Amino acid sequence: MGNGPEGIEKVVIIGSGPAGWSAAIYAARANLKPLVYEGTPKAEMIPLGQLAYTTEVENYPGFPFGNIRAFVESAVDDDRHYNLPPAPKGHEKNGQPHYAVQGVELMELMKQQALNFGTRVVGDDIIDVDFDGKPFKLQTGEGKTVQALTVIVATGARANYLGLPSEEQYKNRGVSACAVCDGALPRFRNKELVVVGGGDSAVEEATYLTNFASKVYLVHRRDELRASKIMQKRALDNPKIEMTWNTVVEECKGSDKDGLTAVVLKNVNDGKRRELPTAGMFAAIGHTPNTAFLNGKLATNDKGYLKLTTPFRTYTSVAGVFAAGDVADDYYRQAITSAGSGCMAALDAERYLAEHHG
Ligand code: NAP
């Protein structure tokens, strides 16, 4: 493998969310023949990124409500329709499907667009990096060493859990950090569920769960949501969502047979505790950037996100290594901002190559 001298890659992109694919599209169109390490479920990075776990994406420009399915099918090869979800029932207008693009569809489209321009994709992880000398050396999960003149890190972030020992005990048996992945499971149907958090994710997860649950308690540690106004309204207007303010989860309770059956809630103002029977608790309390594989070889900020060293550039602390998307962004964290920064990283890599290896 390798498209430069002596099998050295010009651009290796680590990550397969909107930042990774946008970087690949731009790098491929610049004839840099990028090599994308897509990640596997074994490692911390999520193949196709967090959008793979999202339902409707309503705010990605160019993807309004409409017959998106027909658009997706026209754009993606027949043999790659396998993981596109069917058009949701009941979402029709004038006899045509009428709904928003699904997260996984958006990622498949971006991937296809990158492939169309000659991007090469490997379904493996990068597990260690050596940025000390040039070319950079990347260790793959399968034990290979890949050499690269530039690297774009676009590994994203992953959902946090509360960190309670009892939470660990019931993970995948009632405790989850992804309503979209797990919410439709039979154990949660027509049951009372708990979502913890007060941001957009918490509201989104709670709203989604009302499709299956009899009731959703949105447990937030303060008396005001952090979520955007439109999302707040969605939660507050939903008759199936009950806000539980100034409250934290102290313990998860259950049994080997039934998994999670209750959570112990504590009111942070008066310290009073109560047990709330529930079949499911969904943590929606923010994210952690996927940087472990870098083993501290790039500088990070105090929250552990990759530090960008220059305003409006994707430069990291190592020249020739660029960062894009949520791995370097704890603030905007949108598909569109990730895609934009992926484009920026590819342009930065292209200019770096022209300057140093032209
Ligand atoms: P977030 O905005 O950081 O919110 C995290 C929430 O969890 C906060 O309300 C926080 O409480 C709470 N929290 C954090 N640690 C906690 C703990 N240990 N125990 C209890 N509560 C805890 O994260 P997010 O909701 O995942 O959103 C991240 C970004 O993605 C945001 O920019 C958001 O706009 C975006 N997003 C957008 C959409 C959308 O537009 N459809 C959907 C999802 C996410 P405090 O408020 O007290 O800090």
Side-chain angles (χ1 to χ4, degrees):
M1 206 174 271
N3 67 330
E6 293 155 18
I8 299 170
E9 299 292 339
K10 289 183 183 156
V11 184
V12 171
I13 297 165
I14 313 171
S16 54
W21 296 126
S22 302
I25 291 165
Y26 272 76
R29 280 175 56 81
N31 211 20
L32 299 174
K33 300 201 168 47
L35 181 64
V36 172
Y37 275 82
E38 208 173 14
T40 73
K42 277 182 290 183
E44 56 179 351
M45 189 176 88
I46 306 163
L48 299 182
Q50 293 178 87
L51 279 173
Y53 295 156
T54 306
T55 50
E56 289 88 4
V57 180
E58 299 173 4
N59 53 8
Y60 198 89
F63 288 84
F65 269 99
N67 191 350
I68 301 288
R69 177 80 195 180
F71 175 45
V72 171
E73 286 182 352
S74 71
V76 177
D77 287 344
D78 289 353
D79 64 350
R80 300 189 61 246
H81 286 171
Y82 59 92
N83 58 358
L84 299 181
K89 282 203 176 67
H91 291 252
E92 275 130 18
K93 197 176 180 185
N94 303 325
Q96 292 292 318
H98 190 75
Y99 73 114
V101 71
Q102 307 286 302
V104 71
E105 291 175 345
L106 190 57
M107 288 304 92
E108 288 285 357
L109 282 169
M110 288 192 194
K111 177 175 178 178
Q112 188 65 48
Q113 207 172 344
L115 289 170
N116 292 349
F117 291 119
T119 299
R120 294 159 302 141
V121 179
V122 182
D124 195 4
D125 301 299
I126 297 297
I127 58 167
D128 197 7
V129 297
D130 177 355
F131 293 150
D132 283 344
K134 298 279 175 64
F136 303 127
K137 293 190 182 63
L138 310 173
Q139 296 301 323
T140 75
E142 288 174 355
K144 291 188 191 137
T145 302
V146 180
Q147 301 192 83
L149 299 178
T150 65
V151 175
I152 296 174
V153 180
T155 45
R158 64 185 183 283
N160 292 338
Y161 284 89
L162 297 173
L164 306 167
S166 54
E167 177 190 44
E168 195 63 40
Q169 201 177 335
Y170 298 111
K171 258 187 200 168
N172 303 323
R173 295 189 314 133
V175 171
S176 166
C178 182
V180 174
C181 323
D182 303 330
L185 294 173
R187 68 164 292 126
F188 299 126
R189 293 210 172 227
N190 300 314
K191 299 281 171 47
E192 298 202 345
L193 305 177
V194 168
V195 172
V196 185
D200 281 332
S201 297
V203 172
E204 192 174 64
E205 304 238 324
T207 307
Y208 177 75
L209 287 172
T210 60
N211 291 320
F212 314 101
S214 55
K215 181 172 185 172
V216 178
Y217 294 90
L218 187 45
V219 174
H220 184 36
R221 62 187 178 183
R222 293 189 293 135
D223 61 359
E224 193 187 359
L225 289 172
R226 178 180 294 278
S228 56
K229 290 282 178 275
I230 187 168
M231 297 291 271
Q232 289 197 21
K233 188 169 175 343
R234 207 168 281 184
L236 299 173
D237 289 354
N238 190 321
K240 276 188 165 182
I241 297 178
E242 181 173 322
M243 296 306 309
T244 311
W245 302 110
N246 300 308
T247 301
V248 292
V249 174
E250 258 199 351
E251 194 187 341
C252 298
K253 288 189 156 182
S255 66
D256 284 350
K257 181 170 144 285
D258 298 324
L260 184 81
T261 54
V263 289
V264 178
L265 301 178
K266 183 178 132 184
N267 184 302
V268 293
N269 289 341
D270 59 18
K272 284 199 179 128
R273 290 180 175 81
R274 70 180 166 115
E275 199 169 300
L276 178 70
T278 184
M281 183 189 85
F282 294 81
I285 57 165
H287 294 79
T288 299
N290 296 323
T291 55
F293 73 100
L294 294 166
N295 292 313
K297 289 164 195 164
L298 293 178
T300 55
N301 68 16
D302 54 1
K303 292 180 183 167
Y305 287 76
L306 292 186
K307 197 184 251 178
L308 299 179
T309 56
T310 312
F312 299 107
R313 298 288 180 270
T314 62
Y315 306 166
T316 66
S317 52
V318 173
V321 180
F322 306 91
D326 286 5
V327 73
D329 177 14
D330 64 354
Y331 187 74
Y332 295 109
R333 313 184 48 129
Q334 303 298 304
I336 182 64
T337 53
S338 291
S341 69
C343 157
M344 291 160 68
L347 294 175
D348 286 342
E350 186 185 351
R351 285 169 194 163
Y352 177 90
L353 286 167
E355 204 174 310
H356 296 87
H357 301 278

